[in-house]
PDB file of all heavy atoms in Angstrom:
ATOM      1  N   ASP A  20       0.851  -1.201   0.019  1.00 69.00           N
ATOM      2  CA  ASP A  20      -0.044  -0.048  -0.014  1.00 69.00           C
ATOM      3  C   ASP A  20       0.972   1.266   0.035  1.00 69.00           C
ATOM      4  O   ASP A  20       2.131   1.148  -0.113  1.00 69.00           O
ATOM      5  CB  ASP A  20      -0.887  -0.007   1.241  1.00 69.00           C
ATOM      6  CG  ASP A  20      -1.910  -1.027   1.252  1.00 69.00           C
ATOM      7  OD1 ASP A  20      -2.233  -1.582   0.137  1.00 69.00           O
ATOM      8  OD2 ASP A  20      -2.485  -1.426   2.265  1.00 69.00           O
ATOM      9  N   ASN A  21       0.314   2.435   0.076  1.00 82.00           N
ATOM     10  CA  ASN A  21       1.155   3.602   0.152  1.00 82.00           C
ATOM     11  C   ASN A  21       2.077   3.682   1.311  1.00 82.00           C
ATOM     12  O   ASN A  21       1.590   3.781   2.497  1.00 82.00           O
ATOM     13  CB  ASN A  21       0.034   4.792   0.210  1.00 82.00           C
ATOM     14  CG  ASN A  21       0.921   6.138   0.186  1.00 82.00           C
ATOM     15  OD1 ASN A  21       2.001   6.234   0.446  1.00 82.00           O
ATOM     16  ND2 ASN A  21       0.128   7.204  -0.295  1.00 82.00           N
ATOM     17  N   LEU A  22       3.393   3.301   1.144  1.00 85.00           N
ATOM     18  CA  LEU A  22       4.320   3.224   2.112  1.00 85.00           C
ATOM     19  C   LEU A  22       4.510   4.439   2.887  1.00 85.00           C
ATOM     20  O   LEU A  22       4.733   4.457   4.143  1.00 85.00           O
ATOM     21  CB  LEU A  22       5.644   2.758   1.571  1.00 85.00           C
ATOM     22  CG  LEU A  22       5.540   1.293   0.915  1.00 85.00           C
ATOM     23  CD1 LEU A  22       7.012   0.844   0.547  1.00 85.00           C
ATOM     24  CD2 LEU A  22       5.057   0.297   1.875  1.00 85.00           C
ATOM     25  N   ASP A  23       4.585   5.732   2.303  1.00 87.00           N
ATOM     26  CA  ASP A  23       4.709   6.810   2.917  1.00 87.00           C
ATOM     27  C   ASP A  23       3.584   7.206   3.879  1.00 87.00           C
ATOM     28  O   ASP A  23       3.815   7.599   5.056  1.00 87.00           O
ATOM     29  CB  ASP A  23       4.789   7.959   1.989  1.00 87.00           C
ATOM     30  CG  ASP A  23       6.084   8.037   1.085  1.00 87.00           C
ATOM     31  OD1 ASP A  23       7.144   7.479   1.559  1.00 87.00           O
ATOM     32  OD2 ASP A  23       6.063   8.541  -0.061  1.00 87.00           O
ATOM     33  N   GLU A  24       2.450   6.800   3.605  1.00 90.00           N
ATOM     34  CA  GLU A  24       1.172   7.045   4.330  1.00 90.00           C
ATOM     35  C   GLU A  24       1.254   6.026   5.579  1.00 90.00           C
ATOM     36  O   GLU A  24       0.943   6.416   6.705  1.00 90.00           O
ATOM     37  CB  GLU A  24      -0.058   6.784   3.693  1.00 90.00           C
ATOM     38  CG  GLU A  24      -1.402   7.070   4.452  1.00 90.00           C
ATOM     39  CD  GLU A  24      -2.547   6.816   3.444  1.00 90.00           C
ATOM     40  OE1 GLU A  24      -2.607   7.408   2.454  1.00 90.00           O
ATOM     41  OE2 GLU A  24      -3.482   6.104   4.003  1.00 90.00           O
ATOM     42  N   ALA A  25       1.796   4.848   5.344  1.00 90.00           N
ATOM     43  CA  ALA A  25       1.807   3.704   6.382  1.00 90.00           C
ATOM     44  C   ALA A  25       2.996   4.130   7.295  1.00 90.00           C
ATOM     45  O   ALA A  25       2.725   4.047   8.541  1.00 90.00           O
ATOM     46  CB  ALA A  25       2.152   2.403   5.730  1.00 90.00           C
ATOM     47  N   GLU A  26       3.941   4.827   6.824  1.00 92.00           N
ATOM     48  CA  GLU A  26       5.061   5.241   7.720  1.00 92.00           C
ATOM     49  C   GLU A  26       4.536   6.249   8.626  1.00 92.00           C
ATOM     50  O   GLU A  26       4.802   6.320   9.813  1.00 92.00           O
ATOM     51  CB  GLU A  26       6.304   5.773   6.881  1.00 92.00           C
ATOM     52  CG  GLU A  26       7.340   6.319   7.741  1.00 92.00           C
ATOM     53  CD  GLU A  26       8.560   7.049   6.855  1.00 92.00           C
ATOM     54  OE1 GLU A  26       8.233   7.167   5.637  1.00 92.00           O
ATOM     55  OE2 GLU A  26       9.401   7.343   7.423  1.00 92.00           O
ATOM     56  N   LEU A  27       3.904   7.266   7.940  1.00 93.00           N
ATOM     57  CA  LEU A  27       3.386   8.442   8.832  1.00 93.00           C
ATOM     58  C   LEU A  27       2.445   7.827   9.803  1.00 93.00           C
ATOM     59  O   LEU A  27       2.508   8.447  11.041  1.00 93.00           O
ATOM     60  CB  LEU A  27       2.732   9.544   7.939  1.00 93.00           C
ATOM     61  CG  LEU A  27       2.085  10.607   8.633  1.00 93.00           C
ATOM     62  CD1 LEU A  27       3.108  11.442   9.203  1.00 93.00           C
ATOM     63  CD2 LEU A  27       1.367  11.619   7.511  1.00 93.00           C
ATOM     64  N   HIS A  28       1.480   7.017   9.544  1.00 94.00           N
ATOM     65  CA  HIS A  28       0.499   6.478  10.499  1.00 94.00           C
ATOM     66  C   HIS A  28       1.208   5.714  11.591  1.00 94.00           C
ATOM     67  O   HIS A  28       0.810   6.096  12.744  1.00 94.00           O
ATOM     68  CB  HIS A  28      -0.433   5.599   9.742  1.00 94.00           C
ATOM     69  CG  HIS A  28      -1.478   4.929  10.594  1.00 94.00           C
ATOM     70  ND1 HIS A  28      -2.555   5.628  11.114  1.00 94.00           N
ATOM     71  CD2 HIS A  28      -1.564   3.770  11.194  1.00 94.00           C
ATOM     72  CE1 HIS A  28      -3.179   4.908  11.908  1.00 94.00           C
ATOM     73  NE2 HIS A  28      -2.693   3.649  11.883  1.00 94.00           N
ATOM     74  N   PHE A  29       2.247   4.936  11.279  1.00 95.00           N
ATOM     75  CA  PHE A  29       2.889   4.118  12.165  1.00 95.00           C
ATOM     76  C   PHE A  29       3.669   5.087  13.267  1.00 95.00           C
ATOM     77  O   PHE A  29       3.466   5.018  14.507  1.00 95.00           O
ATOM     78  CB  PHE A  29       3.899   3.349  11.693  1.00 95.00           C
ATOM     79  CG  PHE A  29       4.928   2.506  12.579  1.00 95.00           C
ATOM     80  CD1 PHE A  29       4.359   1.759  13.614  1.00 95.00           C
ATOM     81  CD2 PHE A  29       6.238   2.745  12.509  1.00 95.00           C
ATOM     82  CE1 PHE A  29       5.286   1.116  14.396  1.00 95.00           C
ATOM     83  CE2 PHE A  29       7.033   2.236  13.334  1.00 95.00           C
ATOM     84  CZ  PHE A  29       6.604   1.232  14.393  1.00 95.00           C
ATOM     85  N   LYS A  30       4.300   6.012  12.725  1.00 96.00           N
ATOM     86  CA  LYS A  30       5.058   7.129  13.596  1.00 96.00           C
ATOM     87  C   LYS A  30       4.120   7.882  14.454  1.00 96.00           C
ATOM     88  O   LYS A  30       4.415   8.157  15.598  1.00 96.00           O
ATOM     89  CB  LYS A  30       5.882   7.949  12.681  1.00 96.00           C
ATOM     90  CG  LYS A  30       7.112   7.267  12.118  1.00 96.00           C
ATOM     91  CD  LYS A  30       7.960   8.428  11.292  1.00 96.00           C
ATOM     92  CE  LYS A  30       9.222   7.595  10.789  1.00 96.00           C
ATOM     93  NZ  LYS A  30      10.031   8.649   9.975  1.00 96.00           N
ATOM     94  N   GLN A  31       2.882   8.288  13.917  1.00 96.00           N
ATOM     95  CA  GLN A  31       1.984   9.149  14.750  1.00 96.00           C
ATOM     96  C   GLN A  31       1.291   8.145  15.756  1.00 96.00           C
ATOM     97  O   GLN A  31       1.197   8.612  16.901  1.00 96.00           O
ATOM     98  CB  GLN A  31       0.919   9.475  13.866  1.00 96.00           C
ATOM     99  CG  GLN A  31       1.266  10.800  12.907  1.00 96.00           C
ATOM    100  CD  GLN A  31       0.204  11.172  11.946  1.00 96.00           C
ATOM    101  OE1 GLN A  31      -0.700  10.475  11.622  1.00 96.00           O
ATOM    102  NE2 GLN A  31       0.282  12.520  11.603  1.00 96.00           N
ATOM    103  N   LYS A  32       0.913   7.003  15.457  1.00 97.00           N
ATOM    104  CA  LYS A  32       0.394   6.075  16.441  1.00 97.00           C
ATOM    105  C   LYS A  32       1.285   5.842  17.496  1.00 97.00           C
ATOM    106  O   LYS A  32       0.862   5.991  18.685  1.00 97.00           O
ATOM    107  CB  LYS A  32       0.062   4.676  15.744  1.00 97.00           C
ATOM    108  CG  LYS A  32      -0.737   3.854  16.583  1.00 97.00           C
ATOM    109  CD  LYS A  32      -1.187   2.571  15.752  1.00 97.00           C
ATOM    110  CE  LYS A  32      -1.996   1.669  16.557  1.00 97.00           C
ATOM    111  NZ  LYS A  32      -2.592   0.561  15.779  1.00 97.00           N
ATOM    112  N   VAL A  33       2.479   5.501  17.305  1.00 97.00           N
ATOM    113  CA  VAL A  33       3.621   5.319  18.304  1.00 97.00           C
ATOM    114  C   VAL A  33       3.942   6.512  19.186  1.00 97.00           C
ATOM    115  O   VAL A  33       3.864   6.471  20.405  1.00 97.00           O
ATOM    116  CB  VAL A  33       4.760   4.635  17.764  1.00 97.00           C
ATOM    117  CG1 VAL A  33       5.944   4.413  18.829  1.00 97.00           C
ATOM    118  CG2 VAL A  33       4.457   3.114  17.272  1.00 97.00           C
ATOM    119  N   SER A  34       3.986   7.634  18.391  1.00 97.00           N
ATOM    120  CA  SER A  34       4.465   8.824  19.100  1.00 97.00           C
ATOM    121  C   SER A  34       3.362   9.439  19.866  1.00 97.00           C
ATOM    122  O   SER A  34       3.678  10.059  21.036  1.00 97.00           O
ATOM    123  CB  SER A  34       4.731   9.942  18.064  1.00 97.00           C
ATOM    124  OG  SER A  34       6.096   9.494  17.451  1.00 97.00           O
ATOM    125  N   GLU A  35       2.127   9.162  19.744  1.00 97.00           N
ATOM    126  CA  GLU A  35       0.977   9.576  20.654  1.00 97.00           C
ATOM    127  C   GLU A  35       1.059   8.903  21.886  1.00 97.00           C
ATOM    128  O   GLU A  35       0.475   9.333  22.874  1.00 97.00           O
ATOM    129  CB  GLU A  35      -0.372   9.467  19.872  1.00 97.00           C
ATOM    130  CG  GLU A  35      -0.666  10.409  18.744  1.00 97.00           C
ATOM    131  CD  GLU A  35      -1.878  10.205  17.969  1.00 97.00           C
ATOM    132  OE1 GLU A  35      -2.641   9.083  18.317  1.00 97.00           O
ATOM    133  OE2 GLU A  35      -2.082  10.754  17.041  1.00 97.00           O
ATOM    134  N   PHE A  36       1.443   7.542  21.941  1.00 97.00           N
ATOM    135  CA  PHE A  36       1.575   6.868  22.957  1.00 97.00           C
ATOM    136  C   PHE A  36       2.885   7.018  23.772  1.00 97.00           C
ATOM    137  O   PHE A  36       2.839   7.038  25.084  1.00 97.00           O
ATOM    138  CB  PHE A  36       1.473   5.285  22.702  1.00 97.00           C
ATOM    139  CG  PHE A  36       1.223   4.353  23.805  1.00 97.00           C
ATOM    140  CD1 PHE A  36      -0.071   4.219  24.331  1.00 97.00           C
ATOM    141  CD2 PHE A  36       2.100   3.622  24.404  1.00 97.00           C
ATOM    142  CE1 PHE A  36      -0.412   3.418  25.410  1.00 97.00           C
ATOM    143  CE2 PHE A  36       1.834   2.825  25.415  1.00 97.00           C
ATOM    144  CZ  PHE A  36       0.638   2.710  25.916  1.00 97.00           C
ATOM    145  N   ASP A  37       3.938   7.243  23.082  1.00 97.00           N
ATOM    146  CA  ASP A  37       5.247   7.435  23.822  1.00 97.00           C
ATOM    147  C   ASP A  37       6.074   8.247  22.693  1.00 97.00           C
ATOM    148  O   ASP A  37       6.396   7.684  21.617  1.00 97.00           O
ATOM    149  CB  ASP A  37       5.886   6.041  24.074  1.00 97.00           C
ATOM    150  CG  ASP A  37       7.329   6.265  24.733  1.00 97.00           C
ATOM    151  OD1 ASP A  37       7.654   7.355  25.064  1.00 97.00           O
ATOM    152  OD2 ASP A  37       7.978   5.260  24.810  1.00 97.00           O
ATOM    153  N   HIS A  38       6.461   9.485  22.943  1.00 96.00           N
ATOM    154  CA  HIS A  38       7.199  10.250  22.130  1.00 96.00           C
ATOM    155  C   HIS A  38       8.729   9.921  21.992  1.00 96.00           C
ATOM    156  O   HIS A  38       9.341  10.166  20.940  1.00 96.00           O
ATOM    157  CB  HIS A  38       7.151  11.723  22.454  1.00 96.00           C
ATOM    158  CG  HIS A  38       8.111  12.045  23.667  1.00 96.00           C
ATOM    159  ND1 HIS A  38       7.811  11.688  24.852  1.00 96.00           N
ATOM    160  CD2 HIS A  38       9.369  12.577  23.655  1.00 96.00           C
ATOM    161  CE1 HIS A  38       8.720  12.116  25.740  1.00 96.00           C
ATOM    162  NE2 HIS A  38       9.658  12.481  24.902  1.00 96.00           N
ATOM    163  N   ILE A  39       9.178   8.933  22.704  1.00 96.00           N
ATOM    164  CA  ILE A  39      10.634   8.726  22.674  1.00 96.00           C
ATOM    165  C   ILE A  39      11.014   7.840  21.506  1.00 96.00           C
ATOM    166  O   ILE A  39      12.056   8.193  20.886  1.00 96.00           O
ATOM    167  CB  ILE A  39      11.079   7.929  24.039  1.00 96.00           C
ATOM    168  CG1 ILE A  39      10.820   8.890  25.227  1.00 96.00           C
ATOM    169  CG2 ILE A  39      12.424   7.423  23.988  1.00 96.00           C
ATOM    170  CD1 ILE A  39      10.847   8.184  26.550  1.00 96.00           C
ATOM    171  N   PRO A  40      10.414   6.950  20.898  1.00 95.00           N
ATOM    172  CA  PRO A  40      10.954   6.145  19.782  1.00 95.00           C
ATOM    173  C   PRO A  40      11.189   6.971  18.637  1.00 95.00           C
ATOM    174  O   PRO A  40      12.088   6.537  17.832  1.00 95.00           O
ATOM    175  CB  PRO A  40       9.761   5.173  19.538  1.00 95.00           C
ATOM    176  CG  PRO A  40       9.115   4.963  20.905  1.00 95.00           C
ATOM    177  CD  PRO A  40       9.104   6.330  21.447  1.00 95.00           C
ATOM    178  N   PHE A  41      10.445   7.997  18.315  1.00 95.00           N
ATOM    179  CA  PHE A  41      10.689   8.913  17.171  1.00 95.00           C
ATOM    180  C   PHE A  41      11.213  10.339  17.539  1.00 95.00           C
ATOM    181  O   PHE A  41      10.986  11.213  16.738  1.00 95.00           O
ATOM    182  CB  PHE A  41       9.459   8.814  16.224  1.00 95.00           C
ATOM    183  CG  PHE A  41       9.236   7.576  15.667  1.00 95.00           C
ATOM    184  CD1 PHE A  41       8.225   6.668  16.128  1.00 95.00           C
ATOM    185  CD2 PHE A  41      10.025   7.034  14.795  1.00 95.00           C
ATOM    186  CE1 PHE A  41       7.901   5.411  15.575  1.00 95.00           C
ATOM    187  CE2 PHE A  41       9.856   5.694  14.082  1.00 95.00           C
ATOM    188  CZ  PHE A  41       8.702   4.915  14.618  1.00 95.00           C
ATOM    189  N   ALA A  42      11.632  10.463  18.690  1.00 92.00           N
ATOM    190  CA  ALA A  42      12.094  11.837  19.093  1.00 92.00           C
ATOM    191  C   ALA A  42      13.196  12.336  18.326  1.00 92.00           C
ATOM    192  O   ALA A  42      13.342  13.578  18.265  1.00 92.00           O
ATOM    193  CB  ALA A  42      12.371  11.798  20.622  1.00 92.00           C
ATOM    194  N   HIS A  43      14.017  11.531  17.808  1.00 85.00           N
ATOM    195  CA  HIS A  43      15.274  11.971  16.949  1.00 85.00           C
ATOM    196  C   HIS A  43      15.179  11.349  15.710  1.00 85.00           C
ATOM    197  O   HIS A  43      14.872  10.233  15.550  1.00 85.00           O
ATOM    198  CB  HIS A  43      16.544  11.632  17.751  1.00 85.00           C
ATOM    199  CG  HIS A  43      16.651  12.208  19.034  1.00 85.00           C
ATOM    200  ND1 HIS A  43      16.739  13.537  19.227  1.00 85.00           N
ATOM    201  CD2 HIS A  43      16.496  11.610  20.195  1.00 85.00           C
ATOM    202  CE1 HIS A  43      16.776  13.776  20.667  1.00 85.00           C
ATOM    203  NE2 HIS A  43      16.553  12.699  21.186  1.00 85.00           N
ATOM    204  N   GLU A  44      15.484  12.077  14.554  1.00 84.00           N
ATOM    205  CA  GLU A  44      15.644  11.335  13.206  1.00 84.00           C
ATOM    206  C   GLU A  44      16.353  10.255  13.233  1.00 84.00           C
ATOM    207  O   GLU A  44      16.247   9.319  12.295  1.00 84.00           O
ATOM    208  CB  GLU A  44      16.025  12.519  12.237  1.00 84.00           C
ATOM    209  CG  GLU A  44      14.879  13.449  11.890  1.00 84.00           C
ATOM    210  CD  GLU A  44      15.258  14.336  10.799  1.00 84.00           C
ATOM    211  OE1 GLU A  44      15.982  13.975   9.810  1.00 84.00           O
ATOM    212  OE2 GLU A  44      14.876  15.569  10.755  1.00 84.00           O
ATOM    213  N   ALA A  45      17.469  10.217  13.960  1.00 81.00           N
ATOM    214  CA  ALA A  45      18.490   9.121  13.918  1.00 81.00           C
ATOM    215  C   ALA A  45      18.206   7.899  14.919  1.00 81.00           C
ATOM    216  O   ALA A  45      19.129   7.207  15.204  1.00 81.00           O
ATOM    217  CB  ALA A  45      19.948   9.577  14.154  1.00 81.00           C
ATOM    218  N   SER A  46      16.890   7.975  15.474  1.00 87.00           N
ATOM    219  CA  SER A  46      16.695   6.902  16.446  1.00 87.00           C
ATOM    220  C   SER A  46      16.807   5.531  15.792  1.00 87.00           C
ATOM    221  O   SER A  46      16.537   5.383  14.447  1.00 87.00           O
ATOM    222  CB  SER A  46      15.290   7.228  17.048  1.00 87.00           C
ATOM    223  OG  SER A  46      14.257   6.847  16.178  1.00 87.00           O
ATOM    224  N   GLU A  47      16.787   4.411  16.536  1.00 89.00           N
ATOM    225  CA  GLU A  47      16.685   3.137  16.072  1.00 89.00           C
ATOM    226  C   GLU A  47      15.403   2.739  15.289  1.00 89.00           C
ATOM    227  O   GLU A  47      15.428   2.276  14.205  1.00 89.00           O
ATOM    228  CB  GLU A  47      16.958   2.014  17.199  1.00 89.00           C
ATOM    229  CG  GLU A  47      18.296   2.136  17.859  1.00 89.00           C
ATOM    230  CD  GLU A  47      19.357   1.652  16.764  1.00 89.00           C
ATOM    231  OE1 GLU A  47      19.130   0.852  16.090  1.00 89.00           O
ATOM    232  OE2 GLU A  47      20.402   2.412  16.976  1.00 89.00           O
TER     233      GLU A  47
END
């Protein structure tokens, strides 16, 4: 499916619960 949209959705979903995993562009 639209990978860019999937990426954005995943990052938003996780970040709403815990901001730490995507707090930095170079995160794991």
Side-chain angles (χ1 to χ4, degrees):
D20 292 344
N21 184 336
L22 297 183
D23 292 332
E24 186 177 307
E26 174 186 12
L27 180 62
H28 177 73
F29 172 61
K30 287 181 175 180
Q31 285 177 336
K32 186 174 182 176
V33 171
S34 294
E35 286 173 2
F36 194 79
D37 179 8
H38 74 281
I39 296 168
F41 293 105
H43 303 287
E44 283 187 36
S46 74
E47 291 299 319

